Amino acid sequence: MSEEVRQRIKAGEQVPVGRMKIPMIDLPLGATEDRVCGTIDIEKALTEGVKAFEPGLLAKANRGILYVDEVNLLDDHLVDVLLDSAASGWNTVEREGISISHPARFILVGSGNPEEGELRPQLLDRFGMHAQIGTVKDPELRVQIVSERSTFDENPAEFHKRYAEKQNALTGRIVDARKRLKSVQIPYDFRVKISAICSELNVDGIRGDIVTNRAAKALAAFEGRGEVAVEDIYRVIPLCLRHRLRKDPMADIDNGDRVRQVFKRIFAME
């Protein structure tokens, strides 16, 4: 909610409310800071002689998803912008005598090849979860993927129609899970053990604790349960903590496996 809308509500005005699909906005690598943050609306300035704000990608992504491909190659000045918005949930623009702030709360999703460049630790920490994706090795599965891709290229509409029922069922599960999420409980003992794992792994800050608790509750809600189980935490905690561990060039074990080892010891699963 912007400051303008908040003031109108305080004044007792009736504010119109609309519904829309959750937006998913792509942030290109070559985007300028003005395109991301917003800038002066030149058209209105020239035609009407007034100063007006033209929203950028951060405004469009508010309450939605901001996707960055090859996020590890993103320019430093754009990384700084993302860090500011991700930390505060607001974007402030100062341009040509105009000062405006608007909400910029979004889910940040990024992809990239770590061999092409490292991601700045400050931005890496802003990603709640980290998944490692490798190339499929099973020949039969590779053939199936190639076949499906060929089918899509030949007739995209028919391809979408074939999977529409499954997609709608998945959408329904997600909607139900979002409604159920607030009522999902996680036992106090589990929360203590999650924090103990983060402490033993020397995870900086408490963002790892927070994300692990949220992810475990989300998984339980998605699977239709009202309370988090140990298996839920075991499934999500490597994703939540893997990228938060300090890198040891001499280590002979994957960070995800390190997390699982400590988890099994803390939760007495060995």
Side-chain angles (χ1 to χ4, degrees):
M1 182 185 300
S2 67
E3 186 62 28
E4 179 185 353
V5 174
R6 185 179 290 107
Q7 293 300 327
R8 290 175 62 185
I9 293 176
K10 284 184 178 179
E13 291 187 38
Q14 189 70 25
V15 179
V17 178
R19 298 178 68 88
M20 60 179 289
K21 290 185 177 181
I22 294 177
M24 182 169 179
I25 306 298
D26 285 329
L27 196 162
L29 286 179
T32 63
E33 187 172 342
D34 285 348
R35 180 73 183 104
V36 176
C37 298
T39 186
I40 300 298
D41 191 330
I42 300 298
E43 183 178 352
K44 281 193 175 182
L46 295 176
T47 59
E48 302 177 20
V50 297
K51 293 181 179 180
F53 177 67
E54 182 179 351
L57 296 178
L58 293 180
K60 294 180 180 180
N62 185 45
R63 301 181 67 185
I65 298 171
L66 183 65
Y67 173 68
V68 188
D69 191 18
E70 302 292 351
V71 64
N72 50 321
L73 303 181
L74 200 63
D75 289 340
D76 285 344
H77 70 281
L78 294 183
V79 171
D80 293 335
V81 169
L82 290 181
L83 285 173
D84 289 341
S85 299
S88 64
W90 287 81
N91 177 43
T92 301
V93 180
E94 305 279 353
R95 295 284 192 281
E96 303 298 333
I98 289 182
S99 177
I100 186 171
S101 295
H102 64 78
R105 300 182 182 275
F106 48 82
I107 298 172
L108 183 61
V109 179
S111 61
N113 183 354
E115 295 180 358
E116 297 176 352
E118 293 291 335
L119 193 61
R120 281 172 57 177
Q122 302 96 317
L123 183 57
L124 184 62
D125 188 53
R126 291 293 171 182
F127 287 99
M129 305 176 78
H130 175 274
Q132 288 183 332
I133 301 176
T135 304
V136 176
K137 301 298 183 182
D138 183 8
E140 293 186 2
L141 186 55
R142 292 170 73 104
V143 170
Q144 182 182 349
I145 293 172
V146 172
S147 176
E148 292 287 303
R149 177 57 198 246
S150 298
T151 302
F152 173 79
D153 290 339
E154 291 170 3
N155 194 338
E158 184 63 29
F159 184 87
H160 285 297
K161 184 178 179 181
R162 187 201 307 176
Y163 289 99
E165 185 176 346
K166 291 182 179 180
Q167 290 295 308
N168 291 334
L170 180 59
T171 300
R173 287 188 66 186
I174 294 174
V175 171
D176 291 341
R178 295 186 66 177
K179 295 177 180 178
R180 189 183 301 112
L181 182 59
K182 290 184 178 179
S183 63
V184 176
Q185 301 295 320
I186 179 168
Y188 178 77
D189 180 53
F190 288 178
R191 285 184 282 160
V192 172
K193 289 180 178 179
I194 288 172
S195 293
I197 293 171
C198 294
S199 178
E200 183 163 336
L201 290 170
N202 294 318
V203 175
D204 290 333
I206 61 170
R207 190 169 285 116
D209 308 51
I210 294 172
V211 172
T212 303
N213 279 270
R214 289 178 177 175
K217 291 174 67 175
L219 179 58
F222 181 73
E223 295 188 343
R225 290 178 277 107
E227 183 171 289
V228 171
V230 175
E231 290 74 16
D232 297 325
I233 304 173
Y234 181 75
R235 288 164 63 184
V236 302
I237 198 168
L239 302 174
C240 299
L241 301 184
R242 171 190 287 130
H243 58 299
R244 305 180 193 278
L245 305 187
R246 293 185 176 89
K247 293 185 177 180
D248 181 2
M250 303 301 292
D252 57 356
I253 184 173
D254 177 72
N255 280 347
D257 292 332
R258 283 178 59 197
V259 175
R260 294 185 186 92
Q261 285 182 355
V262 175
F263 175 91
K264 290 179 179 179
R265 184 167 68 255
I266 297 294
F267 276 83
M269 292 180 63
E270 292 181 324

